[in-house]
Amino acid sequence: MKAKRRPVQRVDLALQGGGSHGAFTWGVLDRMLDEPWLGFDGVSGTSAGALNAAVLATGLARGGRAGAQAALRAFWEDVARGGACFGHAGGSALAAPTPWLPAWPAAPAMPFVQWFAEFTRLFSPYQFNPLDINPLRDIVRRHVELAAVRRGALAVFVNATAVTTGRPRIFHRTDLTHDALLASACLPQLFQAVEIDGVPYWDGGYSGNPALWPLIYETPSLDVVLVKIDPLTRPGAPATPLDIHDRVNEITFNAGLVGEMRAIAFVQKLHREGRLDSGQYKNLRLHMVADDEAMAALPPSSKLDTALPFLHRLHALGRQAAERWLASDAAHLGRRSTLDVRRVFLGESEQDPAPAPKEAPASAPRRGRRRRAQP
């Protein structure tokens, strides 16, 4: 007797950025792609999340799930060979130094990390890298086929921050370019701003890490799976200049996401109270794949490390996190949220506990019907 085939459950993906820690997301996607019942409508990514999104879309369009898995592996292994893709070369034989920055030691020493942080405060990339050398540029061109992204079924949204206004710009698959991907991953302390249509752009993490609202406006799915790699909380107050600088960066890069989560939680509350028309406002079902304990144990400076063994370690952590999520939460897709937004992102559950969400029919909105976003 033939086993009953599991119906396809379609979701949106929201992929955080975080330099080489994006290899954790590679592992998550690699494991998800093993499941033929799990389909993807849209993906929104920032920085390394944007790179993962574009490579995923390229691989899916070229060769389906197996093609996407191969594309992601080839991309991250190329990152290991490419040198200082995120600011420093990794400590491996495959990681080549760049002509304008010293190689990252095999075991990063604290004095060196402090020296580099001080160096980037004293000198801008317009001074120490006047030729705008970016090892990531050629890697992106090798692994992201724009024509494949545009013809594929996966809706891709990439966020970058306009330097002049501080506002986010979302690049869709129809207007996505290699420069847009470089802009989304452009840390201003390390690389010159990427100019597109006369506008300079920096890393998208400053305005949304990742941006969720394109998924609200432009895809039919009600289920959004956030792959989180940036820790929201760390115990204690940092005391050294480097630790203070790193924690400020983490808080800044999480601020946009926390703001969007607050708006989503508000709309979810109005839905629970029956004060909104579900045909007009999306009642999103949110889910999260993360390993806060493992990722918080890594120093922020390790986001610059592109050593292949380190990337493989992160990939393994990502696969394990996805395996746990598939075992515990995936059964609720299409029915209810498994992410407690108010507890995880707002810290409000204890003060104002929300009633448990009711199981809803496993149905998605009709394609082509536009729904309003949260306020």
Side-chain angles (χ1 to χ4, degrees):
M1 188 176 180
K2 263 190 175 181
K4 189 176 179 182
R5 188 174 179 181
R6 187 170 183 175
V8 173
Q9 175 64 53
R10 305 197 69 81
V11 302
D12 286 336
L13 299 170
L15 310 181
Q16 274 201 322
S20 64
H21 289 188
F24 175 90
T25 302
W26 163 33
V28 172
L29 297 175
D30 193 41
R31 179 62 186 90
M32 285 182 165
L33 288 162
D34 286 338
E35 301 297 331
W37 59 268
L38 191 58
F40 310 117
D41 278 334
V43 56
S44 178
T46 292
S47 196
L51 301 175
N52 275 317
V55 174
L56 171 68
T58 297
L60 284 172
R62 283 176 170 176
R65 291 174 176 271
Q69 289 175 313
L72 286 163
R73 176 171 294 277
F75 169 77
W76 282 101
E77 290 181 350
D78 206 1
V79 165
R81 289 188 293 268
C85 294
F86 300 112
H88 276 298
S92 107
L94 294 176
T98 61
W100 48 277
L101 283 178
W104 186 262
M110 184 57 67
F112 178 84
V113 175
Q114 291 175 331
W115 172 86
F116 179 69
E118 197 61 36
F119 177 84
T120 56
R121 277 193 281 268
L122 293 173
F123 301 97
S124 84
Y126 297 88
Q127 296 170 308
F128 64 73
N129 184 18
L131 298 179
D132 195 22
I133 299 169
N134 187 343
L136 195 57
R137 184 176 288 113
D138 288 339
I139 293 175
V140 167
R141 287 172 178 165
R142 282 196 292 271
H143 295 275
V144 176
E145 183 187 334
L146 297 174
V149 173
R150 288 167 187 157
R151 74 171 179 263
L154 183 65
V156 177
F157 309 98
V158 167
N159 182 42
T161 304
V163 177
T164 53
T165 66
R167 295 173 187 152
R169 174 174 173 182
I170 300 299
F171 295 89
H172 301 64
R173 62 179 172 182
T174 53
D175 63 357
L176 186 67
T177 64
H178 294 132
D179 279 347
L181 291 166
L182 293 174
S184 184
C186 178
L187 288 173
Q189 300 89 349
L190 302 175
F191 301 107
Q192 296 182 25
V194 178
E195 191 168 303
I196 301 172
D197 300 328
V199 178
Y201 290 95
W202 282 341
D203 196 293
Y206 294 110
S207 55
N209 189 23
L212 300 181
W213 53 269
L215 301 174
I216 298 169
Y217 275 116
E218 301 189 42
T219 74
S221 180
L222 291 178
D223 288 273
V224 176
V225 181
L226 169 67
V227 182
K228 186 170 77 68
I229 58 179
D230 262 358
L232 285 167
T233 60
R234 286 187 183 273
T240 68
L242 179 62
D243 289 342
I244 292 170
H245 176 263
D246 285 342
R247 186 57 184 148
V248 167
N249 277 344
E250 282 183 337
I251 293 171
T252 300
F253 271 60
N254 279 321
L257 178 62
V258 170
E260 286 197 85
M261 287 295 186
R262 183 176 296 279
I264 290 170
F266 177 70
V267 170
Q268 287 178 329
K269 178 177 182 291
L270 295 180
H271 271 287
R272 286 194 302 270
E273 296 171 353
R275 295 163 63 187
L276 281 182
D277 177 5
S278 60
Q280 293 295 319
Y281 292 86
K282 265 188 170 183
N283 187 15
L284 290 182
R285 298 183 287 259
L286 297 177
H287 316 272
M288 185 172 74
V289 182
D291 187 340
D292 286 344
E293 184 178 358
M295 299 307 286
L298 298 172
S301 56
S302 66
K303 293 179 180 180
L304 310 178
D305 186 355
T306 57
L308 189 59
F310 181 58
L311 298 183
H312 280 165
R313 175 187 166 198
L314 289 167
H315 170 267
L317 287 173
R319 279 194 65 95
Q320 291 163 11
E323 185 69 46
R324 291 191 296 271
W325 177 81
L326 286 165
S328 61
D329 293 346
H332 300 294
L333 289 171
R335 299 183 179 277
R336 67 172 179 85
S337 292
T338 57
L339 170 62
D340 185 344
V341 174
R342 300 167 75 244
R343 178 183 63 82
V344 174
F345 285 90
L346 309 180
E348 295 179 353
S349 287
E350 292 183 4
Q351 292 87 347
D352 182 21
K358 296 178 181 178
E359 292 280 342
S363 61
R366 289 177 294 175
R367 288 184 179 274
R369 185 175 182 181
R370 187 178 177 88
R371 294 186 176 219
R372 295 180 190 171
Q374 292 93 328

